[in-house]
């Protein structure tokens, strides 16, 4: 699906930098006009910097801090490092080697996932990508009909598996997934694949950084029934969560605090209604046995 707006690592990290620059400007009692005069630029550029929409060149950063009366070398060093980190994220990305196999929106999602500290997700019909086995990925990819050649399909499978390294590598991602019980029943790839997939789901749920809950049919109607969504959180101090949500007309990125808060509340309600992780394992085991018959 095509996302209606784009949020990239530069947006997330740049927004953190912009928030800090805004606080420093306001603490100095300066307006955006004052800052624009100091940099000999437009007010619009200052606003875009503070909103994280454009990268900040180090000379501009130094000029802004000088105008704001910030002489602390440690502050300049920290903010310079953050600016460099935001600017180079896209240049050092392993997924670029897969080129046209990945849509721009999916590339942006992978880039954000690569720097995220946590992911909270509700899935209505599919096992989360970070927990899928190769056969399951392949079946989903073939069914999507977005890729025609076997080579393209296999490259997509490789990307999905490479993403999963975030769960076991250095500073592993914290994943909390709430799955509708229908995700355990959907015959993706057939019974044999589903049996192996659910066995893998059980194994993954034993990782200390992975929590899996099942929202059973018996709970009836719930607020997350409209579709899947992902809430990405970031370790950087001051960085706000972002949401990728699916709806009938496509996928959409959300970053405004009221909108993100709505999805945070949705997820909290979903996990509160779902079975406990221990109870969920029992249901997954039972469904795995059913597929294995």
């Amino acid at each position: 699906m095509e996302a209606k707006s784009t949020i990239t690592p530069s947006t997330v990290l740049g927004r953190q930098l912009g928030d800090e620059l805004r606080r420093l400007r306001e603490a100095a009692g300066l307006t955006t006009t004052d800052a624009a005069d100091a940099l000999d630029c437009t007010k619009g550029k200052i606003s875009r910097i503070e909103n994280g929409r454009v990268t900040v060149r180090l000379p501009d950063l130094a000029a802004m801090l000088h105008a704001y009366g910030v002489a602390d070398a440690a502050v300049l060093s920290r903010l310079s490092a953050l600016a460099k980190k935001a600017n180079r994220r896209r240049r050092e990305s392993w997924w670029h080697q897969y080129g046209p196999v990945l849509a721009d929106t999916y590339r942006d999602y992978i880039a954000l996932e690569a720097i995220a500290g946590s992911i909270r997700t509700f899935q209505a019909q599919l096992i989360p990508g970070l927990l899928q086995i190769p056969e399951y990925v392949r079946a989903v990819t073939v069914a999507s009909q977005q890729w025609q050649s076997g080579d393209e399909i296999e490259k997509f499978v490789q990307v999905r598996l490479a993403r999963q390294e975030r769960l076991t590598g250095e500073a592993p991602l914290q994943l909390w997934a709430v799955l509708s019980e229908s995700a355990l029943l959907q015959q993706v790839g057939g019974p044999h694949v589903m049996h192996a997939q659910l066995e893998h789901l059980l194994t993954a749920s034993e990782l200390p950084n992975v929590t899996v809950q099942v929202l059973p049919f018996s709970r009836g109607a719930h607020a997350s029934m409209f579709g899947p969504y992902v809430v990405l959180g970031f370790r950087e101090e001051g960085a706000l969560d972002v949401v990728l949500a699916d709806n009938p007309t496509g996928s959409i990125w959300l970053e405004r605090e009221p909108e993100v808060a709505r999805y945070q509340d949705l997820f909290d309600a979903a996990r509160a209604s779902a079975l406990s992780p221990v109870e969920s394992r029992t249901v997954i085991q039972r469904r795995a046995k059913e597929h294995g018959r």
Side-chain angles (χ1 to χ4, degrees):
M1 294 184 178
E2 182 179 357
K4 294 182 178 178
S5 61
T6 299
I7 296 176
T8 68
S10 294
T11 302
V12 172
L13 299 177
R15 184 172 54 186
Q16 179 196 352
L17 176 61
D19 285 343
E20 295 206 38
L21 289 173
R22 180 187 297 108
R23 287 194 293 268
L24 291 172
R25 174 178 60 76
E26 292 174 346
L30 300 177
T31 65
T32 53
T33 299
D34 297 327
D37 290 341
L39 268 69
D40 191 23
C41 68
T42 65
K43 288 174 55 179
K45 179 176 179 178
I46 298 299
S47 295
R48 289 192 294 273
I49 289 174
E50 292 184 351
N51 289 329
R53 294 301 179 185
V54 297
T55 57
V56 184
R57 298 187 308 116
L58 295 185
D60 287 343
L61 177 62
M64 293 175 80
L65 293 179
H66 178 74
Y68 303 161
V70 178
D72 190 334
V75 173
L76 176 59
S77 176
R78 180 172 60 82
L79 296 185
S80 295
L82 182 59
K84 292 177 182 177
K85 187 178 182 182
N87 294 342
R88 71 170 177 256
R89 278 294 180 179
R90 297 182 74 85
R91 296 196 299 268
E92 299 178 350
S93 305
W94 59 263
W95 49 90
H96 284 179
Q97 64 184 295
Y98 293 96
V101 173
L102 304 179
D104 289 343
T105 52
Y106 188 42
R107 247 193 316 267
D108 289 337
Y109 177 80
I110 297 173
L112 285 171
E113 185 180 78
I115 65 171
S118 66
I119 283 181
R120 288 164 287 170
T121 182
F122 172 79
Q123 294 294 324
Q125 288 188 296
L126 291 174
I127 304 299
L130 289 170
L131 302 176
Q132 294 175 2
I133 62 173
E135 295 81 3
Y136 188 98
V137 180
R138 194 170 291 111
V140 171
T141 306
V142 170
S144 73
Q145 299 184 350
Q146 294 183 32
W147 295 271
Q148 301 302 318
S149 73
D151 182 61
E152 289 178 332
I153 291 172
E154 288 309 309
K155 283 184 178 179
F156 189 85
V157 173
Q158 292 170 19
V159 171
R160 182 63 54 88
L161 298 180
R163 284 175 49 204
Q164 296 177 6
E165 295 180 9
R166 281 297 334 268
L167 295 178
T168 56
E170 184 179 354
L173 182 71
Q174 299 292 318
L175 174 64
W176 195 323
V178 177
L179 315 179
S180 169
E181 190 173 1
S182 60
L184 309 181
L185 298 175
Q186 190 77 27
Q187 289 282 348
V188 177
H192 177 72
V193 170
M194 284 304 301
H195 173 75
Q197 174 61 75
L198 296 188
E199 289 292 338
H200 176 73
L201 187 60
L202 287 168
T203 300
S205 69
E206 295 177 349
L207 294 172
N209 54 307
V210 175
T211 301
V212 176
Q213 290 182 264
V214 175
L215 188 54
F217 295 134
S218 60
R219 293 293 195 262
H222 55 88
S224 291
M225 291 178 65
F226 61 88
Y229 54 85
V230 180
V231 182
L232 297 103
F234 304 90
R235 293 188 176 94
E236 286 80 7
E237 182 180 354
L240 303 176
D241 291 355
V242 296
V243 172
L244 180 64
D246 287 346
N247 60 47
T249 58
S251 299
I252 185 170
W253 283 109
L254 303 169
E255 61 173 332
R256 292 195 303 170
E257 289 190 60
E259 295 172 329
V260 172
R262 168 62 176 158
Y263 279 88
Q264 291 169 332
D265 291 343
L266 280 176
F267 183 79
D268 287 342
R271 66 186 178 90
S273 297
L275 299 173
S276 71
V278 173
E279 293 171 324
S280 296
R281 285 181 58 82
T282 299
V283 172
I284 295 170
Q285 288 171 338
R286 183 173 72 249
R287 295 303 187 188
K289 289 180 180 178
E290 292 171 357
H291 287 301
R293 290 173 184 169

